[in-house]
């Protein structure tokens, strides 16, 4: 496997994604080579701080950078306007200047929060994303979307603020709790489906090793999926076209999370259900093969993402799908895949949607879905 950094093109001039085992100890050298200021503000959460801050801060200090650090509570609740205000005030008190840098050390919550603060502090400061969850390494840290949540919904206040660099060490994933691991794995499967037959085959071969989090398989999966995201956002930085594909499995996935109640069904299981749903709808709407549906289902199961079997009210699921920010004029739009590496976006008419959601919500006798 190659260790060459992946590259992303962006209006900011582009950046590299260093995705390889052990690269966490090189954060200092990498950030030091990019910043002209002498200080870095490391933003993390309390869990990640205990696990990795010492190594990262040691590496930054070793590159002669003055380190100031702040950790927020773990979890989505920290992705708030209030926490962003606290981080910004702290940066000012810590004497962070316009030539200095922010290091976002953590999962997607820390990446979105610290990225948003970097975008606004002194009208924009360099940010290095150092993702420590699988979801963040293959998805949220790449692409420059930053945000905090408002009372009215997730990610309602945000900015496109591409990182100066992404440093993703797959070895950090060994300490991830199982639910967080699975959340990321659903994104990895999605990436392979959208990417190519080669990526799907690689994941099929690696699935048993991934279920045990074997380091070689984990590193391959991170590179494959991070590479896919890097290519997509290079092609479509502001989500005017191909970036929409990354929503594969998420329209139903988000609806499940919302209707079941956040935290009841994990993000990974919900997205996996969304992928299965989109796969079977693709047979009906774009004539994809039944084998392709079965292959996606088997891959998800082999990766430890079994069918959820949760019973939800079809009407509420449809309502939640219509409320998805990607739907237009109340009409649900779904990303559908006809074959590995092939996808298209389809508006789904009400009758077809009702029929498909109804079938999905009706558990079969063996606990499986139709
Ligand atoms: N910006 C984007 O493009 C984008 C894309 C997808 C998702 N997101 C956002 O990402 C967020 C979800 O991110 P997430 O799934 O990484 O969740 P998260 O950041 O909340 O991390 C999940 C949990 O894992 C812990 N953790 C992190 N790294 C760890 C490690 N190595 N070992 C042990 N524990 C660790 C954290 O403390 C936290 O409790 C959401 O807010 C979502 O909106 C953003």
């Amino acid at each position: 496997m190659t260790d060459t950094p992946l590259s992303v093109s962006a209006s900011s001039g582009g950046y590299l994604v260093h995705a390889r085992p052990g690269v966490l100890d090189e954060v200092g050298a990498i950030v030091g080579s990019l910043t002209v200021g002498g200080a870095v503000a490391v933003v993390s959460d309390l869990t990640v701080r205990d696990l990795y801050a010492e190594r990262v801060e040691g590496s930054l200090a070793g590159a002669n950078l003055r380190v100031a650090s702040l950790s927020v509570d773990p979890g989505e609740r920290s992705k708030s306007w209030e926490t962003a205000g606290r981080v910004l005030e702290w940066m000012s008190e810590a004497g962070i200047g316009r030539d200095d840098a922010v290091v976002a050390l953590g999962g997607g919550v820390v990446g979105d929060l610290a990225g948003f603060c970097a975008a606004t502090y002194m009208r924009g400061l360099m940010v290095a994303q150092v993702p420590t969850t699988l979801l963040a390494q293959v998805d949220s840290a790449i692409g420059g979307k930053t945000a905090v949540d408002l009372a009215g919904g997730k990610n309602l206040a945000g900015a496109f603020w591409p990182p100066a660099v992404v440093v993703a060490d797959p070895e950090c994933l060994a300490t991830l709790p199982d639910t967080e691991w699975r959340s990321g794995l659903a994104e990895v499967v999605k990436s392979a489906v959208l990417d190519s037959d080669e990526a799907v085959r690689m994941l099929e071969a690696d699935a048993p090793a991934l279920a045990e989090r074997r380091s070689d398989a984990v590193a391959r999966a991170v590179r494959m999926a991070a590479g896919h995201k890097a290519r997509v956002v290079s092609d479509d930085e502001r989500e005017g076209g191909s970036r929409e594909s990354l929503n594969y499995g998420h329209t139903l996935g988000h609806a499940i999370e919302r209707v079941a109640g956040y935290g009841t069904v994990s993000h990974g299981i919900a997205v996996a259900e969304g992928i299965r749903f989109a796969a079977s709808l693709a047979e009906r709407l774009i004539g994809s093969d039944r084998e392709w549906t079965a292959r996606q289902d088997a891959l998800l199961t082999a990766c430890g993402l079994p069918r959820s079997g949760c019973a939800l009210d079809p009407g509420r699921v449809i309502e939640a799908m219509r409320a998805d920010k990607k739907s237009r004029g109340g009409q649900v739009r779904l990303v559908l895949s006809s074959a590995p590496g092939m996808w298209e976006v389809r508006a789904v008419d009400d009758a077809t949607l009702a029929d498909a959601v109804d079938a999905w919500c009706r558990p079969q006798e063996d606990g499986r879905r139709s």
Side-chain angles (χ1 to χ4, degrees):
M1 190 178 58
T2 168
D3 276 347
T4 320
L6 305 160
S7 72
V8 182
S9 48
S11 49
S12 61
Y15 52 94
L16 295 178
V17 178
H18 298 267
R20 63 188 151 82
V23 74
L24 199 67
D25 295 314
E26 294 170 38
V27 168
I30 292 169
V31 173
S33 71
L34 293 169
T35 177
V36 286
V40 280
V42 179
V43 180
S44 192
D45 74 29
L46 293 166
T47 305
V48 177
R49 180 197 65 185
D50 287 350
L51 291 164
Y52 300 109
E54 202 177 310
R55 263 172 80 188
V56 169
E57 289 170 14
S59 166
L60 290 162
N64 295 320
L65 292 162
R66 178 173 70 84
V67 178
S69 50
L70 177 79
S71 301
V72 301
D73 288 334
E76 186 72 26
R77 280 176 66 182
S78 283
K79 230 178 88 172
S80 69
W81 193 248
E82 292 71 29
T83 315
R86 270 206 295 125
V87 173
L88 290 167
E89 290 289 358
W90 163 77
M91 282 165 65
S92 152
E93 281 158 24
I96 299 299
R98 70 181 72 246
D99 290 332
D100 295 329
V102 172
V103 169
L105 173 67
V109 164
V110 163
D112 280 10
L113 170 73
F116 179 68
C117 293
T120 44
Y121 186 74
M122 292 187 168
R123 300 196 182 87
L125 214 63
M126 166 187 150
V127 60
Q129 291 282 354
V130 184
T132 61
T133 62
L134 180 54
L135 181 138
Q137 293 194 353
V138 302
D139 189 358
S140 62
I142 305 167
K145 279 192 189 176
T146 72
V148 294
D149 305 332
L150 299 181
K154 263 175 72 70
N155 301 323
L156 285 188
F160 276 98
W161 192 247
V165 68
V166 180
V167 183
D169 188 338
E171 282 177 356
C172 294
L173 307 178
T175 53
L176 261 192
D178 273 345
T179 41
E180 307 303 340
W181 169 251
R182 281 201 292 267
S183 285
L185 266 186
E187 305 296 343
V188 169
V189 172
K190 173 197 82 178
S191 306
V193 166
L194 297 172
D195 193 83
S196 60
D197 193 47
E198 191 190 343
V200 174
R201 280 175 198 277
M202 184 199 85
L203 216 51
E204 285 169 338
D206 273 345
L210 276 176
E212 292 171 16
R213 290 197 222 182
R214 274 211 353 236
S215 54
D216 50 344
V218 174
R220 269 194 297 277
V222 167
R223 264 194 90 82
M224 178 279 291
H228 178 78
K229 174 102 192 231
R231 283 190 292 282
V232 171
V233 300
S234 294
D235 176 56
D236 177 19
E237 187 179 13
R238 296 270 171 151
E239 199 156 6
S242 58
R243 198 163 173 166
E244 200 177 352
S245 66
L246 299 173
N247 210 34
Y248 188 56
H250 284 62
T251 312
L252 180 71
H254 287 152
I256 294 172
E257 286 184 276
R258 191 157 157 179
V259 174
Y262 287 102
T264 311
V265 180
S266 80
H267 179 72
I269 294 290
V271 170
E273 283 300 312
I275 291 176
R276 291 184 170 99
F277 175 79
S280 71
L281 204 55
E283 286 180 40
R284 237 164 106 176
L285 293 181
I286 59 172
S288 66
D289 288 347
R290 184 166 281 242
E291 289 74 50
W292 179 219
T293 308
R295 201 172 161 198
Q296 292 175 76
D297 178 31
L299 180 56
L300 288 163
T301 304
C303 286
L305 295 158
R307 292 173 176 222
S308 81
C310 77
L312 298 175
D313 174 55
R316 291 189 60 208
V317 171
I318 292 174
E319 201 183 309
M321 288 175 88
R322 284 219 182 92
D324 189 279
K325 61 180 188 279
K326 306 270 174 4
S327 62
R328 297 208 182 130
Q331 184 150 53
V332 172
R333 289 155 48 79
L334 285 181
V335 181
L336 301 174
S337 167
S338 56
M342 309 276 286
W343 61 270
E344 59 191 85
V345 179
R346 277 288 176 106
V348 186
D349 67 76
D350 290 353
T352 308
L353 186 70
D355 210 35
V357 171
D358 226 41
W360 179 81
C361 286
R362 201 181 325 116
Q364 302 300 288
E365 274 178 11
D366 61 355
R368 291 156 67 93
R369 301 190 179 287
S370 52

